[in-house]
Amino acid sequence: MPLVTTEKMFKMAYKNGYAVGAFNVNNMEITQGIASAVTEEKAPLILQVSRGARDYASNSFLKAIIDVVVAENPDIPIAIHLDHGDSFETAKQFVDDGFTSVMIDASSQPFEENIRVTKEVVEYAHAREVVVEAELGQLGGIEEDVVGVKDISAHLTDPEQAVEFVKKSGCDSLAVACGTSHGAYKFKSEPKLAFDVIQKISNKLPGFPLVMHGSSSVLKEFKDLINKYGGDMPDAMGVPEEAISKAAKMAICKVNIDTDLRMALTAKIRQVFAEKPSEFDPRKYLGPGRQAIKEMVKHKLHVLGCAGKAAECM
Ligand code: G3H
Ligand code: 13P
Ligand code: ZN
């Protein structure tokens, strides 16, 4: 099976009440850990590359690693996606590089400008059989323009606007702001998602796939290891897994996870460094990190409900 777009995955995910995991990749070990998890769990997969990942590892290296994963997994549908494309030029470059899905994130722009640039990307991508994710509303974290926003609720996606946006831009899926944010510090107190916003949007756009960014759970196991072995993340807090499962049963068809991968790798590297200070073979600390990612992703696939769903998404 060659690389696929997300079209069939989202159709099945919507119909059958689950979400597909979209995992950020930055190097070989992270990619291998994710790949072996989906192979064992027979889940559809979205591997995504951010601009930061491309700057770090280069698109050709990451694409080559992903191509190996695709070649080795003929029974797993795999989409390769640009995460948070910041301009038409970036999206065009990833389309030209063979990605099957691109995100154009113009959510910090005024509404009409967001529609205009999204439509421009849609026209280019669709002509080349590539699908487009757009974003409406504002999350915290990497969206630098909105860092410092105190009241996330003021920036949640407006359901009325979502309808107009999807109609006018022609995007294939929409990332919505529903209370999550990027990174390891999502909530200061009780974690809360705006399920009513998700429901209102899906009522107005029945059958249309929505995307949830900032969906890491900040797993206790890895947070504790990091803090135990010299790290400093005492206040880290993520989205509870029950909330992820609930969203996955609704119109959320794609769930973005990066922070949990980073924390799993970091926790294991810290543990090896602390317990075996004489160790200097990178395979001896990257290997356990890769294994931890695999186990963690296997678990996530069940939280998302997409374990065992590879065949129906082909
Ligand atoms: O949503 C953002 C992802 O976590 C990617 O982050 O830009 O640091 O690679 P990055
Ligand atoms: P997390 O930081 O919660 O993993 O979110 C990642 C993400 O949304 C990538 O686009
Ligand atoms: Zn994101």
Side-chain angles (χ1 to χ4, degrees):
M1 180 94 183
L3 282 172
V4 296
T5 73
T6 53
E7 194 182 349
K8 181 92 187 276
M9 296 179 189
F10 289 172
K11 200 170 271 174
M12 298 316 289
Y14 196 99
K15 183 168 163 233
N16 294 329
Y18 60 88
V20 180
F23 299 96
N24 286 75
V25 294
N26 287 274
N27 69 7
M28 183 187 76
E29 284 78 6
I30 293 171
T31 315
Q32 286 178 325
I34 298 163
S36 44
V38 300
T39 306
E40 284 185 19
E41 295 296 336
K42 304 199 179 338
L45 173 64
I46 301 167
L47 288 171
Q48 53 188 14
V49 174
S50 69
R51 224 171 54 141
R54 182 193 62 186
D55 292 347
Y56 173 73
S58 95
N59 238 8
S60 40
F61 268 90
L62 290 173
K63 182 70 169 46
I65 292 168
I66 293 169
D67 284 344
V68 175
V69 173
V70 173
E72 287 183 348
N73 289 281
D75 300 333
I76 304 289
I78 301 173
I80 170 169
H81 173 79
L82 161 66
D83 190 25
H84 291 285
D86 60 343
S87 64
F88 172 77
E89 287 69 30
T90 304
K92 176 180 181 303
Q93 193 189 339
F94 278 73
V95 170
D96 295 346
D97 283 349
F99 279 52
T100 57
S101 173
V102 292
M103 176 184 190
I104 173 69
D105 179 2
S107 60
S108 61
Q109 305 285 324
F111 184 64
E112 294 300 337
E113 177 58 13
N114 190 356
I115 292 175
R116 190 197 64 74
V117 66
T118 301
K119 191 162 182 278
E120 193 182 6
V121 172
V122 165
E123 279 164 9
Y124 188 82
H126 282 184
R128 289 153 186 84
E129 296 183 353
V130 171
V131 293
V132 178
E133 174 186 330
E135 180 171 321
L136 186 64
Q138 293 178 329
L139 288 83
I142 63 159
E143 284 159 351
E144 284 159 25
D145 305 8
V146 294
V147 160
V149 168
K150 293 278 187 299
D151 179 12
I152 289 180
S153 63
H155 298 267
L156 299 178
T157 305
D158 179 313
E160 289 293 342
Q161 276 197 337
V163 178
E164 187 183 345
F165 184 89
V166 167
K167 211 166 125 201
K168 288 189 173 166
S169 72
C171 64
D172 302 284
S173 62
L174 185 68
V176 294
C178 57
T180 64
S181 61
H182 294 102
Y185 302 90
K186 300 182 192 300
F187 305 98
K188 287 206 168 64
S189 54
E190 186 71 14
K192 232 176 132 194
L193 296 195
F195 291 108
D196 57 325
V197 168
I198 299 172
Q199 193 56 55
K200 278 182 195 153
I201 297 170
S202 71
N203 288 347
K204 289 178 185 295
L205 289 169
F208 190 80
L210 305 179
V211 178
M212 194 160 85
H213 283 244
S215 303
S216 281
S217 294
V218 181
L219 297 154
K220 180 171 163 23
E221 174 193 352
F222 300 123
K223 180 178 151 177
D224 287 352
L225 278 178
I226 289 172
N227 288 324
K228 178 174 175 190
Y229 292 114
D232 185 17
M233 306 182 69
D235 301 324
M237 198 189 291
V239 184
E241 290 185 341
E242 313 80 72
I244 302 284
S245 293
K246 182 171 172 181
K249 289 191 181 84
M250 299 170 75
I252 299 290
C253 295
K254 172 174 179 271
V255 163
N256 282 17
I257 295 169
D258 187 357
T259 295
D260 283 341
L261 300 164
R262 297 176 183 202
M263 288 184 70
L265 187 59
T266 301
K268 286 295 166 182
I269 291 174
R270 280 193 176 281
Q271 185 175 19
V272 174
F273 283 176
E275 290 178 350
K276 300 177 186 163
S278 62
E279 188 55 73
F280 67 97
D281 179 345
R283 295 169 297 189
K284 299 287 166 45
Y285 50 85
L286 292 174
R290 179 173 61 185
Q291 183 63 24
I293 285 175
K294 176 183 170 179
E295 296 307 325
M296 188 271 287
V297 172
K298 282 182 71 164
H299 169 71
K300 288 273 171 203
L301 300 172
H302 289 274
V303 172
L304 297 171
C306 65
K309 306 292 188 191
E312 70 177 36
C313 295
M314 298 289 262

